[in-house]
Amino acid sequence: MIDRLPPLRDVIAAHDLQPKKALGQNFLLDLNLTAKIARQAGDLTGCDVLEVGPGPGGLTRGLLAEGARRVLAVEKDARCLPALAEIETAYPGQLQVINADALEVDVLQHLTPPIRVVANLPYNVGTELLVRWLTPQDWPPYWDSLTLMFQKEVAQRIVATPGTKPYGRLAILSQWRAEARMVMTLPPEAFTPPPKVHSAVVHLQRLAAPLFEADAKVLSRVVAAGFNQRRKMLRSSLKGVSADIEAHLSAAGIKSTERAEQVSIEAFCALAREVAKEKAP
Ligand code: SAM
């Protein structure tokens, strides 16, 4: 038992929280498991935590039991609020719940660094949130680390290395500015209802500075174009990025006949720097 609150099955029944597919609601009901996920974020004492999508609050309870200084839980589904209010009462002053879309919340209005992000993300906005956390114009960002549950296939794309099938935009944006590791895998049965796929927790520790210099917007644009047509040679997949793409590829030391999958993060950053020079000569 991690706290004195009722078991999650009782909470769900009491508040009639029938999971909704459209909101990506696959709940974790085993509090030992949610505490284990919370521990993957490291020592939470002295840290504020942003949790996206607390649902009935299993992971929220894990985070508070693990000693988080303060948790900001952003939940889109208003049906979950009464269940979360019970947790607020059990941890006075430590939990703030906001009924909102996580894509719209200004985190620094509510939390004070050091901030860790820990979430069992809804599949429909998971990658969008990750990309936003990784691509602010300035670095370092407001967060120290991200500990996130994804479907396993997405987790594999985050930690992938060049030359492998899952290597692409997510691997480059993640590893350019953070150290990314897959720290746990979970079978479908760990969730209620069980999803069709396996899941995994990825831990991303931000780097003090990006691995290689590049403008976040330009790098994102170049990488997105390159992998959008990943079977094509770069000279053709990147045509829309610049009229001079062949010259930029050559200046960055990349063969124009190469495919995006073969190109390292370092080389993509060199290419982004060449493309950026066009606008700021
Ligand atoms: N954290 C809970 C757990 O582990 O059992 C629930 C995880 S469930 C996979 C995802 C949660 O995100 C749901 O509670 C869902 O209502 C919520 N959600 C979906 N879209 C959201 C959004 N745009 N902003 C905030 N929460 C969202």
Side-chain angles (χ1 to χ4, degrees), residues 20 22-29 34 51-60 74-77 80 100-103 119-125 129 149 191:
K20 283 191 186 167
L23 285 168
Q25 292 184 337
N26 300 99
F27 299 136
L28 290 166
L29 304 188
T34 60
E51 185 194 0
V52 172
L59 182 56
T60 319
V74 182
E75 174 56 62
K76 194 171 171 181
D77 185 357
C80 299
D101 183 332
L103 294 166
N120 174 13
L121 289 175
Y123 71 92
N124 46 347
V125 286
L129 280 165
M149 175 99 66
F191 301 85

Side-chain angles (χ1 to χ4, degrees), residues 146-164:
L146 310 171
T147 306
L148 307 170
M149 175 99 66
F150 290 99
Q151 54 188 79
K152 193 172 171 193
E153 189 222 13
V154 175
Q156 283 165 335
R157 282 161 50 201
I158 294 168
V159 302
T161 49
T164 64

Side-chain angles (χ1 to χ4, degrees), residues 1 3 11 17 19-20 25-26 48 52-53 67-68 71 110 120 133 138 155 165 186 197 210 237 243-244 250 264 279:
M1 194 168 76
D3 57 36
V11 173
L17 295 176
K20 283 191 186 167
Q25 292 184 337
N26 300 99
D48 281 6
V52 172
V71 175
H110 306 279
N120 174 13
W133 283 321
D138 297 323
K165 221 170 155 210
L186 288 90
V197 292
S237 60
D244 295 326
S250 152
S264 68
K279 286 183 198 109

Side-chain angles (χ1 to χ4, degrees), residues 24 52 61 69 75 89 108-109 144 160 162 217 221 248 256:
V52 172
R61 285 163 64 173
R69 178 172 66 188
E75 174 56 62
T89 310
L108 286 177
Q109 267 191 7
D144 279 23
K217 274 205 197 86
R221 197 153 55 87
H248 294 325
S256 67

Side-chain angles (χ1 to χ4, degrees), residues 212-265:
F212 310 101
E213 199 191 312
D215 177 90
K217 274 205 197 86
V218 179
L219 180 65
S220 297
R221 197 153 55 87
V222 169
V223 168
F227 285 97
N228 207 7
Q229 298 174 294
R230 57 189 297 144
R231 278 172 223 289
K232 289 200 175 168
M233 294 179 197
L234 288 168
R235 67 176 174 218
S236 129
S237 60
L238 295 182
K239 244 187 211 152
V241 169
S242 161
D244 295 326
I245 198 63
E246 297 240 18
H248 294 325
L249 283 164
S250 152
I254 304 170
K255 284 199 208 103
S256 67
T257 52
E258 221 150 15
R259 287 164 179 83
E261 209 168 281
Q262 305 298 332
V263 177
S264 68
I265 300 174

